[in-house]
Amino acid sequence: MTASKGSAPSGAPEQPDDTGSITQEELDELLREEQLDDDELSLDDVFDVLRNQRRRDVLVYLVGPVHNTATLSELAEHVAAKENGIDRSELSSTQRKRVYIGLYQCHLPKMDDLDVVDYDQDRGTVELRNGSNLLSYLPEAEANEERSPAPLSPTPPVLPA
């Protein structure tokens, strides 16, 4: 039986590796540290968030404010008006309430669980947190003229010169 490269045979003391290569233990530790530091969503979570139009509308809306925050009422009005193709002033209380309940009970808690937004249910506030990697999938976020430019807008990749 032969020992794998980078590990000492069983019972023998480990020798420092002068070749500059990394041991399996060091590689495992680096991978663990990277996973702990990684704030990016998994691809499954990205698709889960983006699969629903209301969640996409919330993200687009939150890109606009200066501090990437909004109230639940503001979000409900925006989404309801968009879904019904009318101005906010024309919304009925039923249209507004239907969207408000969906956001309150389902969509915002899901986005909060994934750390995409910070949703304070008691105060009714929502703040965009880790949504920056989702924005690249939402070209309408850059064209959001209803709100002011956002500090979390995605940055274009840097290409080598």
Side-chain angles (χ1 to χ4, degrees), residues 50-78:
L50 296 178
R51 110 177 119 179
N52 183 275
Q53 183 64 48
R54 283 187 180 171
R55 291 193 289 264
R56 291 192 304 267
D57 290 342
V58 165
L59 287 171
V60 170
Y61 188 82
L62 288 174
V63 169
V66 174
H67 298 290
N68 300 99
T69 61
T71 65
L72 176 56
S73 296
E74 289 173 339
L75 289 170
E77 282 188 357
H78 169 76

Side-chain angles (χ1 to χ4, degrees), residues 17-31:
D17 189 359
D18 294 336
T19 63
S21 63
I22 190 167
T23 65
Q24 184 63 42
E25 292 81 19
E26 292 170 326
L27 181 60
D28 290 342
E29 180 62 28
L30 288 171
L31 288 173

Side-chain angles (χ1 to χ4, degrees), residues 72 103-105 108-109 112 117-121 124-127:
L72 176 56
L103 292 176
Y104 178 86
Q105 292 181 343
L108 294 176
D112 185 55
V117 298
D118 184 18
Y119 172 45
D120 186 336
Q121 214 169 28
T125 58
V126 183
E127 180 178 1

Side-chain angles (χ1 to χ4, degrees), residues 13-147:
E14 282 198 36
Q15 298 293 323
D17 189 359
D18 294 336
T19 63
S21 63
I22 190 167
T23 65
Q24 184 63 42
E25 292 81 19
E26 292 170 326
L27 181 60
D28 290 342
E29 180 62 28
L30 288 171
L31 288 173
R32 273 191 298 278
E33 288 174 11
E34 185 175 320
Q35 288 172 348
L36 292 175
D37 293 339
D38 189 15
D39 288 336
E40 297 296 314
L41 294 172
S42 72
L43 192 56
D44 288 338
D45 290 339
V46 168
F47 288 138
D48 192 28
V49 170
L50 296 178
R51 110 177 119 179
N52 183 275
Q53 183 64 48
R54 283 187 180 171
R55 291 193 289 264
R56 291 192 304 267
D57 290 342
V58 165
L59 287 171
V60 170
Y61 188 82
L62 288 174
V63 169
V66 174
H67 298 290
N68 300 99
T69 61
T71 65
L72 176 56
S73 296
E74 289 173 339
L75 289 170
E77 282 188 357
H78 169 76
V79 173
K82 187 168 189 268
E83 285 180 2
N84 291 288
I86 58 177
D87 190 63
R88 288 180 181 196
S89 61
E90 299 171 7
L91 282 171
S92 70
S93 62
T94 304
Q95 292 168 321
R96 191 178 293 111
K97 187 175 181 180
R98 183 176 45 85
V99 173
Y100 184 98
I101 291 170
L103 292 176
Y104 178 86
Q105 292 181 343
C106 176
H107 302 297
L108 294 176
K110 178 185 241 354
M111 294 170 77
D112 185 55
D113 288 344
L114 294 171
D115 290 330
V116 172
V117 298
D118 184 18
Y119 172 45
D120 186 336
Q121 214 169 28
D122 295 332
R123 291 184 171 175
T125 58
V126 183
E127 180 178 1
L128 186 62
R129 291 183 56 184
N130 189 18
S132 59
N133 64 331
L134 295 171
L135 300 178
S136 62
Y137 296 100
L138 298 168
E140 63 269 23
E142 290 183 18
N144 185 359
E145 296 174 7
E146 183 175 342
R147 307 293 296 259

